[in-house]
Amino acid sequence: MANPPGAAAVTRVERLPRRGRPRWLTVLICAVVLLALLIAAADRGGVVFAQHEMAVQIKKEGFPTTPKVTIKGFPFLTQVVSRHFGDVRLEAGRITEGPLRITNLKVRARDVRVDSGFSSGTLGSVDGTAFVSFKDLASASDNPDLVLTAAGNNLVKAKMDLGITEATATATVTKQGNSIVVRTQSIEGFSRSDIGNDLDFTVPVKGLPMGLTFQSVTVSAAGVGLHVTGRNVKFSDS
């Protein structure tokens, strides 16, 4: 049976090979992707190196162990070229300052400038929290049997073993000068004259790493947070 008019032409069109992407374009796309991956890897590798070097030098500013340093921002390599970092996070633990042990310190540094070898620099501004657990705060008092728990609104519940019984008091936690001050407000089952000032104590907060200063105190479920700040904090390998 003869094909209808135009059938042969349709068949020829259907058999034409499909034109794919030019080879040079495929190679170019692969090269661009590979270059991007290499730049990203170099960027992240540079971050790891810079964080380590910065942490080693900052440790010398009053930290008992090397703090954890995290440099924020991408791309990182442009920050290296300018030696200017907009956002750097520092974290350290178990910092002993006099009778007080700081359980954990977390701060955010801005406007960080370093020299070409990361051996010295300046933290433009530092803001964060020094956390002190209730256990560590109680240990800093003169009463080894004192137990502290949260009572809300910057209040703590203080319990003390009196031998034949236990005294429980509600106390305020405030900042006075450079000290944390715990003062009894009410005592369950006893008069103030019975207990005196046995549940009251003051803990100095001074000599913080990097010259940080203590601004305020808040009570949380697990302890107290000290708002700490600093400006133009310098660090170096000397």
Side-chain angles (χ1 to χ4, degrees):
M1 180 177 177
N3 290 329
V10 172
T11 303
R12 284 196 297 272
V13 171
E14 291 177 347
R15 292 177 180 175
L16 287 175
R18 298 182 61 184
R19 298 185 62 184
R21 179 183 296 155
R23 181 176 177 80
W24 66 266
L25 182 58
T26 301
V27 172
L28 178 60
I29 292 174
C30 291
V32 170
V33 171
L34 179 60
L35 180 60
L37 291 175
L38 290 174
I39 292 175
D43 194 90
R44 292 300 90 191
V47 169
V48 173
F49 171 79
Q51 289 175 165
H52 172 74
E53 292 301 310
M54 198 178 292
V56 168
Q57 303 309 329
I58 291 177
K59 175 184 180 297
K60 300 172 183 177
E61 303 306 315
F63 290 94
T65 59
T66 303
K68 177 184 177 182
V69 172
T70 304
I71 299 175
K72 298 292 186 177
F74 183 87
F76 171 75
L77 295 179
T78 58
Q79 299 183 73
V80 172
V81 172
S82 65
R83 298 200 296 275
H84 181 206
F85 305 90
D87 188 353
V88 178
R89 312 294 174 89
L90 288 84
E91 182 175 355
R94 298 188 177 185
I95 302 168
T96 301
E97 299 295 345
L100 182 66
R101 188 175 82 162
I102 295 172
T103 312
N104 182 264
L105 174 69
K106 290 183 178 180
V107 297
R108 182 179 190 178
R110 294 183 177 276
D111 190 23
V112 179
R113 299 179 183 274
V114 299
D115 68 5
S116 58
F118 287 84
S119 60
S120 64
T122 302
L123 310 179
S125 64
V126 182
D127 187 274
T129 301
F131 176 77
V132 180
S133 69
F134 284 130
K135 180 180 180 180
D136 286 334
L137 182 59
S139 296
S141 72
D142 293 329
N143 192 330
D145 297 322
L146 185 65
V147 177
L148 300 175
T149 55
N153 297 322
N154 272 21
L155 297 173
V156 294
K157 183 164 287 188
K159 293 183 179 181
M160 185 177 67
D161 186 3
L162 299 179
I164 59 174
T165 187
E166 184 179 75
T168 301
T170 299
T172 59
V173 181
T174 59
K175 174 186 182 295
Q176 292 184 18
N178 289 321
S179 299
I180 302 171
V181 178
V182 180
R183 289 287 180 269
T184 303
Q185 296 297 298
S186 61
I187 306 172
E188 298 177 10
F190 294 90
S191 67
R192 184 61 188 259
S193 59
D194 293 330
I195 303 299
N197 296 323
D198 289 348
L199 294 176
D200 297 345
F201 63 95
T202 299
V203 181
V205 180
K206 55 185 179 180
L208 292 171
M210 302 186 296
L212 296 176
T213 57
F214 168 34
Q215 302 295 333
S216 61
V217 60
T218 56
V219 177
S220 67
V224 298
L226 314 181
H227 178 210
V228 295
T229 62
R231 291 193 63 82
N232 297 321
V233 178
K234 298 186 181 300
F235 61 91
S236 68
D237 59 2
S238 60

